[in-house]
Structures are given as structure tokens and as C-alpha cells.
Amino acid sequence: MQFEVKTFAGDTAGSVELDDAIFGLEPRADILARMVRWQLAKRRAGTHAVKNRAEIARTGKKMYKQKGTGNARHGSARVPQFRGGGRAFGPQVRSHEHDLPKKVRALALRHALSTKAKDQTLIVVDDARLDAPKTKELKDQFGKLGLGSALIIAGAEVDTNFGLAARNLPNIDVLPIQGINVYDILRRDTLVLTRAAVDALEARFK
């Protein structure tokens, strides 16, 4: 598909041909959901833990004799029903990762890109560079393109001045092409790709 290329000043800078195999798919919510679940599970630390009855520093002596008191038949004070006792079936340290085939992950990225293209929330810019790290200047440029919540994908490296200026703006994320991922694409309203990012994506999927 033919796509118009813009600049951050709001001008037109020609056009670019987007591959329909990457940007022209019919989005599938199930694949996107699987990918987002995989990403969020993978980044969980899994360091939550509680003490069970075997780990409580408390005597295991029988609280009182079995018969004759009129009370229930209790033994150790470390059991879960007593205050200060161990937790029953509580969380333990573990990994939350689960497998997702590499082909499904690649397909999910293409569906995420196609989602933005179909919703007309994809913008292709000529380049993402600034002469000086001025946040106010960059904010004015974003206003011309109507960017309030956006993920900006640069080339192999993010321009230093551009990155410094953009990091002070809320709801604006800037990543190199190596960092592009489904979750960040979907969590922002607009996806902004540079020409270099488009070329890198097409090379990646060929």
C-alpha cells in the first residue's frame, strides 16, 4: 500500500510503499491477546512468597492435652488457623513464563502493525532527529501531528537529542527498531515509524 511520509514539522516528505504482508493483514484479537499475555508473564519477577507452617519459628508442642478441656483438638500452634501461623497454599517463588512459538510471536507483531494501519493511527515520518534536546520544541512538533499518546520507533539507534527531549513527555515512548514489541504498540494510541524503521521491518520479515 502507498503511504504518505510526513515530517515532525507537519510537512509532507514524499511517500513510501508498505508491504501488505506486514501492514495489510486482517487483525486477529486472539493472537494479539496471546502475545500480550506472554509478554506480561515474562516480565513478572515471581519473587512473591509467604511462610508455610514448616517455616514458622514457633513451637510444635501440643497446645494442651487432647481430652478433658472441652476445647477443640488442637496440636501445633503453627497451623494456618492461628494468628502467627503459616499460610496455607500461599504464593511461592516461581517463574511465570510460558512458551509461545516464535512464528506466533512474529505473526502477532505483524497483526499489531496491521491494526494501527487499519485504524489509521499509523504515521510514517522521514526521520526522528533534533538539533538540541529541547522538550518544548518537540512538544510543539508533536502538536502539529496531533500526537498525545504515541510510540515512536526510530532506526537502529535513537537520536540522543530526540530521546532526551521525548523522555520528559508523558505517554510518549521512543524505542530503537530492535525494541519494537506488541504490548508497547497497543498501549499507545498512535504508532510513529521512521523510514529506517519501515525498511528494517520489511527486511526482518523477508
Side-chain angles (χ1 to χ4, degrees), residues 49-60:
V50 294
K51 290 184 178 181
N52 57 40
R53 63 181 290 180
E55 297 168 322
I56 294 294
R58 205 173 196 183
T59 179

Side-chain angles (χ1 to χ4, degrees), residues 148-168:
S149 170
L151 171 65
I152 301 167
I153 303 297
E157 292 183 2
V158 177
D159 179 64
T160 303
N161 291 336
F162 190 92
L164 290 173
R167 72 181 182 181
N168 291 325

Side-chain angles (χ1 to χ4, degrees), residues 81-103:
Q81 57 262 49
F82 292 119
R83 181 175 179 178
R87 171 99 174 263
F89 309 116
Q92 296 297 321
V93 175
R94 68 184 180 91
S95 171
H96 290 270
E97 285 188 57
H98 58 271
D99 291 335
L100 189 65
K102 190 174 182 179
K103 288 185 178 180

